[in-house]
């Protein structure tokens, strides 16, 4: 385990102004906090944060990052709190450790490869500071290095996650070194056989080629020295995972791979880079299509180098990368290579330009991390202000769902699955019951409670914020209304069949669908329910021989017998138009229900009235009290008569229209008295009209809004009790 002075020494080596006292205090604090905790390897737990800090000293990071690394597991794994750390080490370090604690909670969630992109965004959204990600990557690297101590089932999950998420993240942050090591460690865990095979082949190759690398190195060095170019030449074999990926990607066998060897030439100036290329291309034949100049055109993450492949000694293909020392640092260490986090402010001009360039680079890199999303705002300092317009939440099974900021559990449910949204009735956020309209936060785990046969309230449409949820709610509401129409249509069709002396069956209707030019039984029924198709047409489609006879409601004819009488008896089942039946009657709510309903225009209808519905094509159902004289107008259109029944929501009482005529003395104050009676009874007056009958009396026609028949009758009795009222009558009721 690294000693206290060793840690300080490592930091002082690259940063002489390092805060020694701070580092020492962090060391002692974390050591005490972790106490006797052990790693899976049996080592004291404290060795882990120290190793993580050591990795970061290799990247020459600032004091705050190193201290945060030493403390990174204290809040999650020991009794420490953010407040305590803020008190002892300052708010900057406390914020970094807190960020790491938040990220650590995500380790418990299983991630799948296809969600890797979302997960990386979540990491960025939560991390808030690039340095948190740097510590996290170092943490992951050390965990990967010691992964063999972890139980096998856990091992694969961690390795897969590293390969899917952390290695690419390191790569995008420009840290190719870190990326390569993470990849190879994951590869070794996940595919031990492939890894062993490729490693063995690589070892074999380097043995067979013996001094090849050294020879090429020497040959190159010599050649360049004679031309007066100072260059560091470093040759190596490709790492097992990149060889494996190449084999997979290009479907090649190991033997077919050409560029197993790579050489890096680090020179002093940009000019030298081009001179080196000139020398190399003169000496060896080049492989066409492999020359790339990333100096004149840097990669998006500021990677700069010249790449070329030549056929070198022993006809071995050799890949060359030529760059300056600065370019090299950036290529290997990426974000961490920059002076940005290093202590001691810019002392000289060179450091200054280096810093501003580093800053620009950092900003571009962070933008790059967003991949595709173009963050509008410029980033302040090291803060990651990305994805502030998004929240990332988990399903109980660990699936990651990305939503716009302000999204609710309803949006979440619809994002998971439309069926889940449609049947949602409640939710838990992080295990606690919460309203379906809560605003979700990053990292929330959301569990949706569902009930089948549920229709999402139409009001949700305006409360959700995702288009998907809105469209789905609209569709579900429309489907529900369509279902109602289909139910209505079924009623109408069944009656039409009964009237024709036939029996309705879905099977027979199905056969007749082509004749009706409809796709499904429901289509037919809904069309009839909407009044867009005549029930008689449906009967004729099923029974082409049937000829409709329009006749008034038949009763059983007297004196008829024999089989003819039986047939007549069957038609007795046919009900007199308007006779309500409880079974199969269409439930009528008020105007707020899902059905297009209106009430008899000439007198209304109220709950308690026996009612009948009249279907009006394109408009819906008009509800009449059964005794309404207006109904006679529909006597010859029996297919328009519907069985309906009241189906009221006791919780939410509604007003219904009713018309009364009050015959009252034509004297001042009469109307006032009448209005007062109605008002005190809790009813409304919608419309008033006067009709004079005689000089001293007049009829006052009142369109009222009442709850039900009992309410209405109560009002009528009270009105009758007034001395100036001679008569009260209901119209159509
Ligand atoms: Mn850790």
């Amino acid at each position: 385990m690294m000693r206290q002075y060793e840690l300080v020494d490592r930091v002082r080596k690259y940063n002489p102004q390092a805060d020694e006292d701070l580092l020492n205090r962090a060391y002692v604090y974390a050591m005490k906090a972790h106490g006797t905790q052990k790693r899976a390897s049996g080592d004291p737990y404290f060795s882990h944060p120290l190793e993580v800090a050591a990795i970061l000293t290799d990247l020459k990071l600032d004091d705050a990052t190193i201290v945060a690394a030493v403390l990174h597991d204290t809040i999650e794994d020991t009794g420490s709190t953010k407040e305590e750390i803020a008190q002892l080490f300052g708010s900057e370090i406390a914020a970094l450790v807190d960020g790491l604690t938040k990220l650590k909670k995500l380790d418990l969630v299983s991630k799948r490869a296809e969600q890797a992109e979302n997960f990386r965004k979540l990491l960025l959204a939560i991390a808030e500071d690039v340095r948190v990600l740097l510590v996290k990557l170092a943490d992951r690297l050390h965990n990967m290095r010691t992964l063999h101590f972890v139980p096998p089932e856990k091992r694969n999950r961690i390795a897969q996650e590293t390969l899917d998420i952390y290695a690419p993240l390191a790569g995008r942050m420009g840290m190719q070194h870190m990326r390569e090591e993470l990849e190879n460690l994951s590869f070794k865990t996940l595919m031990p056989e492939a890894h062993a095979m490729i490693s063995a082949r690589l070892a074999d190759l380097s043995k067979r080629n013996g001094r090849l690398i050294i020879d090429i190195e020497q040959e190159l060095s010599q050649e360049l020295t004679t031309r007066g170019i100072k260059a560091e030449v470093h040759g190596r074999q490709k790492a097992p995972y990149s060889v494996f990926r190449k084999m997979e990607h290009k479907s090649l066998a190991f033997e077919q791979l050409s560029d197993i060897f790579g050489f890096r030439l680090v020179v002093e100036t940009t000019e030298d880079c081009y001179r080196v290329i000139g020398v190399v291309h003169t000496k060896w034949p080049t492989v066409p299509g492999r020359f790339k100049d990333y100096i004149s055109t840097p990669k998006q993450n500021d990677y700069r180098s010249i790449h070329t492949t030549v056929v070198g000694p022993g006809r071995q293909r050799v890949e060359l990368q030529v760059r300056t020392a600065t370019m090299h640092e950036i290529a290997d260490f990426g974000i961490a290579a920059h002076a940005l986090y290093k202590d001691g402010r810019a002392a000289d001009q060179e450091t200054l330009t280096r810093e501003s360039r580093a800053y620009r680079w950092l900003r571009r890199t962070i933008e790059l991390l967003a991949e595709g999303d173009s963050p509008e705002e410029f980033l302040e300092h090291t803060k990651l202000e990305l994805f502030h317009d998004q929240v990332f939440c988990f399903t109980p099974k660990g699936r990651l769902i990305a939503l716009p900021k302000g999204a609710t559990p309803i949006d979440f449910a619809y994002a998971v699955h439309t069926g889940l949204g449609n049947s949602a009735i409640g939710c838990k956020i992080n295990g606690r019951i919460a309203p379906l309209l809560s605003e979700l936060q990053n990292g929330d785990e959301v569990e949706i409670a569902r009930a089948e046969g549920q229709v999402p309230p139409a009001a949700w449409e305006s409360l959700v914020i995702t288009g998907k949820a809105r469209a789905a709610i609209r569709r579900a509401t429309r489907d529900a209304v369509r279902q109602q129409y289909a139910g209505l249509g079924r009623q109408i069709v069944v009656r039409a069949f009964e009237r024709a002396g036939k029996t309705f069956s879905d099977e027979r209707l199905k056969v007749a669908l082509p004749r009706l030019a409809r796709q499904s039984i429901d289509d037919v029924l809904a069309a009839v329910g909407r009044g867009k198709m005549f029930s008689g047409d449906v009967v004729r489609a099923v029974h082409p021989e049937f000829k409709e006879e329009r006749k008034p409601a038949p009763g059983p004819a007297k004196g008829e017998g024999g089989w003819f009488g039986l047939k007549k008896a069957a038609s007795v089942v046919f009900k007199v138009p308007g006779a309500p039946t409880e079974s199969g009657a269409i439930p009528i709510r008020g105007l707020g229900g899902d059905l297009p309903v209106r009430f008899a225009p000439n007198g209304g209808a109220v709950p308690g009235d026996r009612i009948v519905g009249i279907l009006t094509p394109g408009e819906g159902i008009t509800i009449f009290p059964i005794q309404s004289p207006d109904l006679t107008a529909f006597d010859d259109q029996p297919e328009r008569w519907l069985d309906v029944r009241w189906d009221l929501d006791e919780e939410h009482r509604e007003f219904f229209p009713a018309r009364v005529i009050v015959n009252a003395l034509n004297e001042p104050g009469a109307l006032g008295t009448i209005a007062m009676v109605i008002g005190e009874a809790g009813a409304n007056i919608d419309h008033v009209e006067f009709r004079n009958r005689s000089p001293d009396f007049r009829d006052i026609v009142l369109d009222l809004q009442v709850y039900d028949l009992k309410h209405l009758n109560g009002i009528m009795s009270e009105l009758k009790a007034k001395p100036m009222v001679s008569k009260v009558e209901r119209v159509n009721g």
Side-chain angles (χ1 to χ4, degrees):
M1 190 157 65
M2 199 195 297
R3 313 293 290 268
Q4 196 168 334
Y5 70 87
E6 286 175 292
L7 176 68
V8 175
D9 281 354
R10 287 183 86 116
V11 177
R12 295 202 76 149
K13 225 193 235 165
Y14 63 86
N15 177 17
Q17 283 107 50
D19 187 341
E20 205 173 316
D21 174 56
L22 178 72
L23 291 166
N24 282 328
R25 282 192 290 120
Y27 187 104
V28 174
Y29 178 85
M31 185 173 64
K32 281 189 184 154
H34 286 294
T36 56
Q37 287 174 355
K38 291 267 192 292
R39 295 269 290 168
S41 61
D43 286 341
Y45 193 93
F46 181 49
S47 64
H48 164 66
L50 282 182
E51 287 304 324
V52 174
I55 291 169
L56 294 165
T57 60
D58 289 341
L59 301 176
K60 302 182 182 171
L61 289 170
D62 70 339
D63 290 355
T65 310
I66 302 299
V67 169
V70 173
L71 302 177
H72 82 270
D73 279 331
T74 53
I75 294 182
E76 184 70 11
D77 295 345
T78 78
S80 305
T81 62
K82 186 185 175 188
E83 290 69 34
E84 193 181 14
I85 288 174
Q87 214 163 44
L88 292 169
F89 302 100
S91 57
E92 183 189 7
I93 287 168
L96 293 175
V97 178
D98 187 47
L100 284 154
T101 308
K102 284 183 193 154
L103 289 191
K104 184 156 189 181
K105 293 207 170 96
L106 298 178
D107 286 349
L108 302 172
V109 179
S110 69
K111 272 94 40 176
R112 295 195 315 230
E114 64 264 35
Q115 300 187 56
E117 191 49 47
N118 267 345
F119 192 78
R120 269 196 297 274
K121 286 183 183 176
L122 173 61
L123 284 182
L124 294 172
I126 290 183
E128 287 178 347
D129 190 315
V130 176
R131 293 175 295 179
V132 171
L133 290 179
L134 291 172
V135 179
K136 182 69 191 174
L137 285 172
D139 178 38
R140 179 51 62 113
L141 181 58
H142 183 244
N143 285 335
M144 286 302 296
R145 283 177 182 169
T146 53
L147 195 62
H148 47 284
F149 294 112
V150 168
E153 62 278 6
K154 225 175 139 191
R155 216 183 285 167
N156 279 0
R157 185 180 68 73
I158 294 172
Q160 189 66 53
E161 181 186 279
T162 303
L163 200 56
D164 290 340
I165 291 154
Y166 293 98
L169 185 62
R172 291 219 204 130
M173 289 171 80
M175 306 160 80
Q176 302 313 330
H177 220 69
M178 170 99 65
R179 175 202 184 130
E180 204 168 84
E181 191 175 351
L182 288 171
E183 279 175 351
N184 284 319
L185 290 165
S186 306
F187 178 44
K188 191 175 174 183
T189 306
L190 293 169
M191 284 176 258
E193 279 159 29
H195 181 269
M197 185 277 278
I198 290 174
S199 300
R201 296 282 192 99
L202 285 172
D204 179 53
L205 194 67
S206 74
K207 206 160 78 188
R208 265 196 291 123
N209 286 302
R211 290 182 40 87
L212 188 64
I213 290 182
I214 300 167
D215 286 348
I216 298 175
E217 264 181 24
Q218 284 182 350
E219 218 171 320
L220 274 169
S221 299
Q222 230 161 35
E223 198 69 32
L224 295 173
T225 314
T226 53
R227 313 279 176 119
I229 304 169
K230 256 203 216 163
E232 256 178 60
V233 181
H234 176 68
R236 59 166 206 154
Q237 283 186 340
K238 290 230 161 112
Y241 185 68
S242 70
V243 171
F244 172 75
R245 210 164 34 184
K246 213 158 220 178
M247 288 166 67
E248 284 250 301
H249 190 61
K250 301 191 172 164
S251 302
L252 293 173
F254 186 85
E255 290 72 19
Q256 294 171 283
L257 290 181
S258 49
D259 36 14
I260 302 282
F261 298 106
F263 286 83
R264 193 165 289 156
L265 290 85
V266 179
V267 294
E268 285 178 324
T269 65
T270 306
E271 208 193 336
D272 284 348
C273 293
Y274 291 99
R275 288 174 69 199
V276 167
I277 288 296
V279 172
V280 169
H281 283 183
T282 317
K283 191 166 171 60
W284 290 293
T286 59
V287 177
R290 298 297 302 265
F291 178 80
K292 285 184 188 102
D293 183 353
Y294 293 120
I295 291 179
S296 62
T297 322
K299 281 193 187 180
Q300 253 187 311
N301 62 0
D302 207 30
Y303 173 85
R304 288 181 298 162
S305 264
I306 297 176
H307 291 190
T308 189
T309 304
V310 296
V311 183
R315 301 213 49 76
Q316 187 66 50
R317 281 186 182 203
V318 172
E319 190 182 272
L320 294 166
Q321 299 174 344
V322 186
R323 51 175 80 142
T324 66
T326 314
M327 295 174 194
H328 179 58
E329 226 184 2
I330 289 173
D332 258 9
F333 297 112
I335 280 182
H338 295 288
L340 192 66
Y341 308 123
K342 291 168 190 167
D343 278 353
R345 288 296 102 198
D348 50 67
Q349 196 52 41
E350 200 210 329
T351 319
L352 249 178
T353 46
R354 190 180 152 87
E355 277 203 1
S356 67
R357 204 187 57 227
Y359 185 71
R360 267 205 323 274
W361 183 83
L362 172 71
R363 193 152 70 192
R364 219 175 329 139
T365 305
I366 291 169
E367 282 168 6
L368 199 72
L369 293 176
E371 212 203 39
D373 304 74
S374 57
E376 273 114 291
E377 73 262 75
F378 273 146
L379 301 162
E380 286 292 321
H381 308 293
T382 59
K383 296 283 179 237
L384 290 166
E385 306 255 312
L386 295 177
F387 313 119
H388 277 197
D389 53 347
Q390 274 179 287
V391 284
F392 300 88
C393 301
F394 294 100
T395 67
K397 282 185 182 159
R399 198 176 138 203
L400 188 59
I401 307 290
L403 295 162
K405 195 163 175 62
T408 65
I410 302 170
D411 292 295
F412 176 91
Y414 277 105
V416 173
H417 189 264
T418 305
L420 184 61
N422 283 339
S423 58
I425 52 162
C427 75
K428 279 184 182 176
I429 298 176
N430 301 323
R432 285 211 190 125
I433 291 173
L436 274 171
L437 289 168
S438 319
E439 183 177 332
L440 293 173
Q441 305 297 322
N442 262 324
D444 278 350
E445 185 191 297
V446 185
E447 190 182 343
I448 300 291
R450 56 194 303 189
E452 292 307 332
Q454 166 84 5
V455 177
W460 280 5
E461 197 187 317
S462 59
L463 299 170
V464 297
I465 74 159
T466 51
K468 186 182 181 196
R470 204 170 295 135
I473 291 164
R474 204 175 299 147
R475 206 179 315 121
T477 318
R478 207 173 48 215
D479 284 351
V481 172
R482 188 174 178 276
Q483 275 314 110
Q484 294 259 24
Y485 270 119
L488 193 65
R490 180 173 290 272
Q491 285 262 336
I492 298 167
V493 168
V494 167
R495 284 169 150 267
F497 273 76
E498 284 173 355
R499 252 188 339 265
K502 312 281 185 191
T503 310
F504 172 80
S505 81
D506 282 22
E507 290 71 31
R508 283 193 208 155
L509 177 54
K510 203 168 184 179
V511 175
L513 283 175
R515 250 169 275 160
L516 292 161
R518 301 283 162 154
Q519 299 292 320
S520 70
I521 293 173
D522 265 8
D523 283 349
V524 172
L525 298 178
V528 173
R530 284 179 200 273
K532 289 187 173 160
M533 185 186 283
F534 271 117
S535 55
D537 294 341
V538 181
V539 178
R540 275 188 297 277
V542 178
H543 301 282
E545 78 291 350
F546 173 69
K547 294 211 174 13
E548 195 167 16
E549 310 155 43
R550 292 259 160 108
K551 48 184 167 190
K558 277 189 184 133
E560 283 176 350
W563 65 270
F564 195 65
L566 269 178
K567 196 178 172 193
K568 277 287 175 193
S571 73
V572 174
V573 177
F574 168 52
K575 294 159 209 93
V576 173
T581 52
E582 274 309 305
S583 63
I586 298 156
I588 298 297
R589 297 214 150 172
L591 299 171
D594 286 329
L595 277 180
V597 161
R598 49 187 197 136
F599 295 95
N602 202 19
V606 301
D609 286 338
R610 294 179 69 200
I611 48 173
V612 64
I614 296 293
L615 183 73
T616 307
E619 284 183 27
I621 313 165
T622 308
I623 306 299
F624 290 89
I626 204 164
Q627 63 273 40
S628 169
D630 293 348
L631 281 170
T632 53
F634 306 103
D635 275 351
D636 59 342
Q637 302 171 65
E639 73 281 352
R640 290 181 64 186
W641 292 66
L642 306 172
D643 280 347
V644 293
R645 64 179 165 86
W646 295 107
D647 175 35
L648 298 177
D649 185 354
E650 292 301 324
E651 299 279 292
H652 305 96
R653 298 181 74 192
E654 271 186 68
F655 276 132
F656 293 85
R659 181 176 296 170
V660 294
I661 297 180
V662 181
N663 188 246
L665 264 178
N666 192 359
E667 66 173 27
L671 184 63
T673 306
I674 291 165
M676 204 168 72
V677 168
I678 294 165
E680 279 178 354
N684 266 339
I685 303 173
D686 226 20
H687 187 254
V688 188
E689 203 184 304
F690 299 97
R691 290 177 198 158
N692 286 313
R693 224 181 240 183
S694 62
D696 45 352
F697 278 88
R698 61 177 177 174
D699 281 342
I700 304 169
V701 183
L702 296 162
D703 282 329
L704 301 180
Q705 291 196 309
V706 297
Y707 289 123
D708 53 23
L709 193 58
K710 196 175 154 206
H711 191 202
L712 179 65
N713 287 339
I715 292 167
M716 288 171 72
S717 310
E718 286 225 31
L719 289 173
K720 279 177 195 156
K722 295 292 168 193
M724 85 284 272
V725 172
S726 77
K727 207 167 144 197
V728 181
E729 281 178 321
R730 184 164 174 211
V731 176
N732 276 357

